[in-house]
Amino acid sequence: MQWDFIFLFNSLLLGVGLAMDAFSVSLANGLNEPKMKAGKMTLIAGVFAVLQGLMPLIGWICVHTILQYFGFFEKLIPWIALILLCYIGIHMIKEAKECEECPESCKELGIKVLFVQGIATSIDALSVGFTIADYGFLMALVAVIIIAAITFVICWGGVAIGKKFGTKLAGKAGVFGGVILVFIGIEIFVTSFI
């Protein structure tokens, strides 16, 4: 592979494609917490960006080192994403219902849940390591940095859009966000078999 426009264009497309699930979850997070501060928005986008960039690099490393083990793990990726996103989505729906009944009990997005969301939305990016397997290490590193940067921008925008509509949707935003997460999990699962 050469350092050319095609390399840059492919990396940009990979970044946009991989960021779509994280964008949807970012949107759900913004819906769920409409008064979120800019620092937390940046943290959310940063976690998704780092994990979305790290997973293809881990995939690349696996292709170049332990391919026989990664081949088995690749079959589990849709199941892991489905379970994690459905769990988080259902939990978010329950919290939204509790929040409607007792507004004092409302919780903000914690770092643990954010990290699980990040892994759930980026785990399918491990297989991108196969698509960039013919890159040298430096090219793979540049590609994942581009992927991470694009993911950051897209996710920050997702949180901002979610916040705007979360204010308008008020009490139903948490339920809507949870439903989005469940559907993303189902979509990752179903499309892996198509």
Side-chain angles (χ1 to χ4, degrees):
M1 192 65 158
Q2 299 178 39
W3 294 89
D4 57 9
F5 176 76
I6 300 297
F7 164 75
L8 180 63
F9 186 70
N10 286 344
S11 298
L12 290 170
L13 286 180
L14 274 174
V16 170
L18 290 174
M20 288 301 103
D21 290 340
F23 168 79
S24 298
V25 175
S26 298
L27 186 69
N29 287 336
L31 283 168
N32 198 40
E33 200 175 321
K35 293 186 171 125
M36 188 184 302
K37 301 217 183 303
K40 190 165 186 181
M41 292 170 64
T42 303
L43 175 67
I44 290 170
V47 167
F48 286 130
V50 167
L51 290 170
Q52 208 66 262
L54 190 61
M55 291 297 181
L57 188 59
I58 291 170
W60 183 90
I61 292 168
C62 288
V63 167
H64 290 275
T65 57
I66 53 172
L67 182 60
Q68 63 274 18
Y69 302 115
F70 185 69
F72 169 75
F73 180 70
E74 188 177 21
K75 294 175 183 138
L76 298 177
I77 289 173
W79 290 95
I80 294 169
L82 174 69
I83 291 166
L84 288 175
L85 286 171
C86 285
Y87 171 77
I88 295 168
I90 291 168
H91 186 68
M92 189 183 270
I93 292 167
K94 285 181 184 175
E95 276 188 358
K97 295 284 186 189
E98 291 170 7
C99 194
E100 280 179 18
E101 294 167 9
C102 182
E104 304 85 44
S105 69
C106 295
K107 294 184 213 167
E108 293 182 352
L109 176 69
I111 191 72
K112 187 172 113 180
V113 172
L114 176 60
F115 188 70
V116 172
Q117 287 178 347
I119 289 179
T121 57
S122 66
I123 197 162
D124 59 333
L126 274 171
S127 58
V128 171
F130 286 120
T131 64
I132 63 172
D134 60 337
Y135 293 0
F137 178 73
L138 187 57
M139 284 185 93
L141 187 61
V142 169
V144 300
I145 288 170
I146 291 169
I147 290 167
I150 288 171
T151 301
F152 181 86
V153 170
I154 288 173
C155 289
W156 204 93
V159 175
I161 293 167
K163 276 180 51 176
K164 183 162 183 79
F165 288 101
T167 305
K168 291 179 172 52
L169 294 173
K172 302 296 179 204
V175 173
F176 186 63
V179 169
I180 288 173
L181 294 182
V182 170
F183 277 119
I184 292 169
I186 292 168
E187 181 263 334
I188 290 171
F189 182 76
V190 169
T191 57
S192 71
F193 293 108
I194 297 175

